[in-house]
Structures are given as C-alpha cells and as structure tokens.
C-alpha cells in the first residue's frame, strides 16, 4: 500500500485549501524516512490573511445559539469516528506511532473532546448577582481569535483539544501544527467544514517557529494556546504578554512515579512501562523518574526487564507492533545522547540502549541518582530512570525537587497514603494506581515550569472566554453633584 499522503494543499484559510507561499516542508514517514508529502510553509502575509479571515468570521459564529455551535462539533466527532481507520493510518504515517496506539488514543481522544465541548456549549451560563434593587449579571463571552500551536507527539489530539473548547465558546482559531507533523490538522479543518463549520472559524497555517511567532504576535490574536517544550513556552508566553494576550501553556515535564512496597508489583511494572514507553516515550506527562521503595526494588527491576524483553518493536503499521520509531532522526539523536550521558554518569543500563536507525528500544537505567542529568532533564524518548527510596517523606520530597510539575503517580494499596501522597505532590495531574490516563472529563495541565492553564473538562471553558459584568441600575442616579 502506498504511503503517499499529499493533502490538497498546505494551508486551510477561510474554508478552503490554499498553497503555502513560504519555504518547502517535506513530511517524512518516520519508519522508512520516505517523503510522504511535500508542503510549503505559510508566508507572514498568509498568517495575516488567516487571522483576518478568523476575525471577520468570528462574530457571526459567536452570535449563533450555543446548541447550534455544539451540533457542528458533535457532527465532526461522528465523522472522525466514521473515518477512524483512515485517520489512524494517517496519524501513524505522520508520527510513526504504532497503529495499535493511533486507533485508540489519538483521533478517538480528539473526537471525545469535540463531543464533550459540543455538549457543554449550551450549558455555559452567567450569574445574576442581586444587590437589593440594582443587580449585576455576567456574560461569559468569546475572546475572539485564538492561536493554537502544536507539538508533534499527539498532533491531531492536540488540534482537537484546542479547537473544541475554543469553537464551543464562539471563538475562531488559527492553528499551526508542528512542522514535523503537519497532516492531521488539515484533516480536522476538512472534517469541521464537512460538519457545517462556517468558513474562517478554523484555519491551519504551516511553518516552523518563525511562523508560529508571527501568529503569536498578530494584533488580531487574543489568546495563544501552545503545546511544546518549556523553552518555547517561555518565549511564546513572553511574546504573548506584550499584547496582554491570554495564554494556555502545555509544556514539558520530568514526572515522578512512586511505587510503595505494598503495591501490586504487576500493576506498578505495567504502569511504569506505560508511563515511559507508550508512543516511544514521546509523551509530556511521562513518569520518567520511577521511585521504587527499597523492599521491592530488586523484584521490580527483574519483572520490568522480563516484560520489556517481550515488547514488540517494528513496523508501526503492523497491528502487533507495540513500539515504533522515533519521530525524526534529530529526536532519535537527542535521545541517544541522553542514553550516552546516563552511562557516562554511572547509571546502570538494565535493558535497552541507543538502538539504531529510527528506533530507540525501551531503555531502563537503575542505580540512578537525583543529580544525574538523565534524572533531571526531559529526554522525550523511551528512557526510564529507576531510583530507590526508603520512606514516604523522602519519596515526596525528592519527587517535588524538580522545576517541572506536569504529572505524578503513586502506587500503593494503602488508601490513606495514596491520597496523602497525591495531595503532597506538586503536579497538575496525579494518578493513584493508574498512569497517563487523560479523559476529556478531567482537567489537564501543569504547575511550575510545566505550564499554565488547563485543557479538557469544564475548566478549559474559562481559558477560552472572558467574563463581562453588566450592572443594571433599577432606580435613579444618586450623584453628589
Ligand atoms: P517545541 O517547543 O519544539 O515546538 C512546539 C511548537 O512550537 C511547534 O509547533 C513549533 O513550531 C512552535 N514554535 C517553536 N518556536 C516558536 C516560537 N518562537 N513562537 C511560536 N511558536 C514556536 O516542542 P516539540 O519538540 O514539538 O514537542 C515536544 C515538547 O512538547 C516536549 O517538551 C513535551 O513535553 C511537550 N509537550 C507537552 C504537552 C502537554 O500537554 N503538556 C503535550 C505534548 C508535548
């Protein structure tokens, strides 16, 4: 079967495909390295065209009844589900992630977001505040034009997670996917149009960081939602501040997973693998610092090595494959450098290693210490560091001794301890006896350097809207003049 995945054109502006006027952007299938599409970046003028189209269309969209806006999003979710197989395949070609993942995690989670926010749209109401005669009522109104900027690990999910709450609230969006994975967002634009979205409400521009920067600083943009690294987040947040724009920053992490010696060993090992090797480890919330209580540390490492040895690595389009290639040669090189660093720092390689070509196998380091580079820095690849600990207080203190705070996990059969530790961990999401589950019903986002704002759940509505107070005077004006 051909892997050719050329879209009709590179950009989607004002309800139509448009060819980009900027530099060429080759799209590679990470498994073979073959070029599967050749796109062009937007020019800065095309970015301006997209934001202008969005600004022109947005008031009409916001003026619709919320139930009408919601219906469009729910229809888009249905179309995604009808085309599930085609979309999963495209996501695998764009990212290299195994088809067994893209069938269940990527577009399906995007469809959930469209359905959830489509249903939520008509439930958003204001408040009436009585003042004994006079009163105030509040209106939760759209911000206007929102910019969405995505990372390459979950490109279509990210596009949906940003578009769904933005559009539900009556905003328009200009979305720039990662230059590594530009294809899914164009599909989303097509699907939304088919579902009845008016032209100009969801636009896609392509490009590297400079085009993202042009989008962030466009005077028509009222809000920027970025999923990316901390370094990019700091730059984009600062640029957004110039125009006092709203921001949501979904950034990186170095999340802890704490396994107490009363935990189910099998579940804890399974969760640690999910928390490090799913999507070849390219997940922001991964629990890459696995703290294991001394009593079960040897058994944990033995069972982990046994299960890791059975992971099926290979062709991502083969349904049996559990571990695919890394998204790009540059990212694979960065991960290999990190593995080398771990070895040089004296951590013990339990399994895995640098691998070859596009593949880095699931890799586990033991005898790691908190000050090692591999334990402090986000690697964004399939590299787990296992650290021993003695007491609960020690584990919590070491887990929190990081500038990041995206996620955390705790495995224990002691309920009180589970909740106590979850409360003490500095993280936007903490799982007890689970890991990396991010249902649309629950808020998701980081604390500390991992970001600001929340995606998913009703909380996301607050980040795509602003409150207006309307004071109603019911009597005469009591002026002292
Ligand atoms: P990245 O920061 O390199 O790029 C992210 C996006 O920002 C890309 O679309 C890029 O083109 C754009 N960009 C770069 N410079 C810009 C600028 N100056 N102005 C505007 N846009 C700019 O990140 P990446 O390598 O694509 O993704 C990996 C990172 O994303 C990891 O750190 C990971 O943890 C993080 N991530 C976070 C979440 C989350 O929800 N918290 C989810 C996925 C990935």
């Amino acid at each position: 079967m051909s892997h050719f995945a050329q879209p009709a054109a590179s950009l989607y502006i004002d309800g139509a495909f448009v060819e980009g006027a900027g530099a060429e952007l080759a799209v590679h299938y990470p498994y073979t390295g073959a070029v599967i599409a050749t796109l062009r970046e937007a020019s800065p003028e095309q970015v301006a065209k997209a934001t202008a189209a969005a600004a022109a269309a947005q008031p009409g969209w916001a003026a619709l009844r919320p139930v009408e806006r919601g219906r469009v999003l729910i229809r888009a979710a249905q179309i995604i589900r009808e085309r599930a197989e085609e979309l999963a395949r495209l996501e695998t070609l764009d990212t290299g992630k195994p088809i067994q993942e893209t069938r269940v995690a990527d577009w399906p989670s995007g469809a959930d977001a469209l359905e959830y926010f489509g249903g939520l749209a008509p439930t958003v109401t204001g408040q009436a505040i009585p003042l004994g005669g006079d009163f105030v009522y509040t209106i939760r109104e759209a911000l206007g034009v929102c910019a969405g900027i995505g990372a390459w690990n979950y490109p279509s999910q990210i596009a949906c997670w940003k578009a769904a709450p933005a559009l539900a609230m009556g905003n328009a969006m200009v979305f720039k996917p990662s230059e590594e994975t530009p294809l899914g967002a164009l599909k989303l634009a097509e699907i939304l149009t088919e579902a009845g979205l008016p032209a100009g409400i969801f636009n896609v521009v392509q490009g590297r960081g400079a085009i993202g920067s042009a989008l962030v600083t466009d005077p028509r943009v009222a809000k920027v939602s970025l999923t990316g690294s901390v370094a990019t987040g700091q730059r984009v947040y600062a640029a957004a501040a110039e125009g006092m724009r709203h921001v949501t920053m979904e950034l990186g992490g170095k999340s802890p997973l704490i396994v107490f010696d009363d935990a189910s060993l099998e579940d804890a090992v399974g969760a640690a693998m999910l928390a490090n090797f799913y999507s070849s480890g390219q997940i922001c919330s991964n629990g890459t610092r696995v703290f294991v209580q001394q009593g079960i540390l040897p058994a944990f490492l033995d069972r982990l090595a046994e299960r890791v040895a059975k992971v099926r690595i290979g062709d991502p389009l083969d349904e049996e494959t559990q571990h695919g290639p890394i998204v790009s040669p540059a990212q694979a090189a960065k991960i290999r450098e990190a593995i080398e660093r771990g070895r040089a720092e004296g951590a013990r390689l339990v399994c895995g290693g640098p691998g070859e070509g596009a593949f880095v196998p699931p890799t586990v380091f033991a005898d790691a210490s908190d000050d090692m580079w591999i334990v402090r820095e986000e690697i964004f690849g399939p590299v787990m560091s296992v650290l021993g600990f003695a007491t609960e207080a020690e584990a919590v203190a070491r887990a929190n001794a990081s500038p990041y705070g995206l996620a955390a996990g705790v495995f224990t059969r002691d309920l009180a301890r589970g909740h106590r530790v979850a409360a003490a961990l500095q993280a936007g999401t903490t799982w007890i006896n689970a890991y990396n589950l991010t249902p649309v019903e629950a808020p998701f986002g980081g604390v500390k350097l991992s970001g600001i704002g929340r995606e998913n759940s009703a909380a996301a509505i607050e980040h795509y809207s602003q409150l207006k107070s309307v004071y109603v005077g019911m009597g005469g004006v009591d002026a002292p003049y």
Side-chain angles (χ1 to χ4, degrees):
M1 204 185 220
S2 163
H3 294 157
F4 198 55
Q6 186 72 30
S10 303
L11 322 180
Y12 199 86
I13 298 177
D14 208 9
F17 277 103
V18 188
E19 198 41 76
E24 191 175 290
L25 205 59
V27 188
H28 299 268
Y29 178 31
Y31 179 50
T32 60
V35 173
I36 52 167
T38 306
L39 272 55
R40 300 203 82 86
E41 292 193 53
S43 63
E45 295 72 30
Q46 287 177 313
V47 172
K49 259 193 186 160
T51 57
Q58 187 267 332
W61 175 243
L64 290 180
R65 283 178 59 202
V67 76
E68 293 175 299
R69 290 198 302 268
R71 201 174 294 140
V72 172
L73 303 187
I74 291 167
R75 175 78 189 114
Q78 284 162 351
I79 297 172
I80 289 171
R81 294 200 179 103
E82 283 157 18
R83 296 202 195 143
E85 192 54 29
E86 167 208 333
L87 293 171
R89 196 182 135 81
L90 183 69
E91 195 77 347
T92 286
L93 292 175
D94 211 7
T95 62
K97 296 197 293 180
I99 190 88
Q100 61 162 251
E101 288 190 19
T102 54
R103 274 182 185 156
V104 299
D106 296 78
W107 280 102
S109 146
D112 281 357
L114 289 160
E115 189 171 32
Y116 179 89
F117 288 105
L120 198 68
T123 72
V124 177
T125 56
Q127 251 188 325
I129 304 165
L131 297 169
D134 290 2
F135 64 99
V136 170
Y137 63 91
T138 61
I139 305 173
R140 192 162 275 287
E141 55 184 27
L143 297 170
V145 178
C146 301
I149 300 180
W152 43 257
N153 60 339
Y154 278 81
S156 300
Q157 182 197 79
I158 290 170
C160 292
W161 280 19
K162 296 189 189 311
L167 271 42
M169 286 309 299
N171 300 283
M173 175 163 272
V174 180
F175 187 82
K176 190 200 83 65
S178 163
E179 57 272 34
E180 300 284 350
T181 52
L183 300 178
L186 292 170
K187 277 284 166 208
L188 177 61
E190 252 184 287
I191 289 168
L192 284 166
T193 297
E194 191 182 326
L197 191 74
I201 300 301
F202 184 75
N203 309 274
V204 179
V205 295
Q206 308 286 356
R208 300 172 172 86
I211 287 302
S213 175
L215 179 58
V216 169
T217 51
D218 184 288
R220 284 166 286 248
V221 167
K223 189 228 158 83
V224 182
S225 177
L226 169 84
T227 298
S229 60
V230 171
T232 302
Q234 286 164 328
R235 273 199 295 278
V236 170
Y237 197 173
E242 287 282 315
M244 213 55 81
R245 294 174 179 87
H246 296 242
V247 295
T248 297
M249 294 284 146
E250 291 289 352
L251 309 176
K254 191 75 190 177
S255 300
L257 169 57
I258 303 176
V259 180
F260 286 96
D261 56 14
D262 67 338
S264 152
L265 182 68
E266 208 51 25
D267 286 342
V269 167
M273 291 175 72
L274 266 177
N276 281 273
F277 306 139
Y278 206 68
S279 296
S280 296
Q282 303 163 117
I283 299 185
C284 52
S285 49
N286 270 357
T288 46
R289 293 184 292 146
V290 180
F291 293 93
V292 182
Q293 205 161 16
Q294 296 294 357
I296 55 159
L297 183 54
F300 182 93
L301 285 170
D302 286 350
R303 188 62 187 130
L304 182 62
E306 257 172 46
R307 285 181 66 174
V308 168
K310 292 192 194 128
V311 171
R312 284 190 288 268
I313 303 176
D315 179 350
L317 285 171
D318 179 341
E319 297 186 346
E320 300 296 314
T321 295
Q322 297 166 321
H323 190 88
I326 301 301
V327 72
S328 65
Q331 183 63 17
K334 274 192 206 164
I335 299 167
R336 291 192 174 113
E337 241 172 71
I339 293 173
E340 265 323 304
R341 236 171 149 143
R343 276 176 164 163
E345 283 177 312
R348 175 166 62 89
L349 196 60
V350 175
C351 52
E356 54 189 28
F359 287 88
V360 178
T363 296
V364 177
F365 279 111
D367 303 339
S369 61
D370 297 1
D371 57 351
M372 288 180 180
W373 189 93
I374 54 162
V375 180
R376 286 184 286 114
E377 300 295 333
E378 183 182 52
I379 298 171
F380 220 58
V383 184
M384 180 193 310
S385 293
V386 179
L387 306 132
F389 75 92
T391 67
E392 177 183 322
E394 175 201 338
V396 169
R398 289 170 61 193
N400 285 340
S402 165
Y404 302 110
L406 189 55
V410 50
F411 271 75
T412 178
R413 286 197 174 99
D414 178 340
L415 268 182
R417 176 159 64 190
H419 293 291
R420 191 167 60 233
V421 171
L425 288 169
Q426 295 164 356
T429 298
T430 301
W431 291 279
I432 301 176
N433 295 330
Y435 206 88
N436 261 354
L437 301 175
T438 54
V440 68
E441 295 89 340
F444 182 76
V447 302
K448 302 201 278 186
L449 282 186
S450 292
I452 187 156
R454 291 292 177 270
E455 296 198 304
N456 289 343
S457 82
I461 289 296
E462 289 166 30
H463 299 290
Y464 283 100
S465 61
Q466 59 199 354
L467 268 185
K468 172 180 279 169
S469 288
V470 180
Y471 188 108
V472 183
M474 298 293 286
V477 173
D478 183 14
Y481 315 107

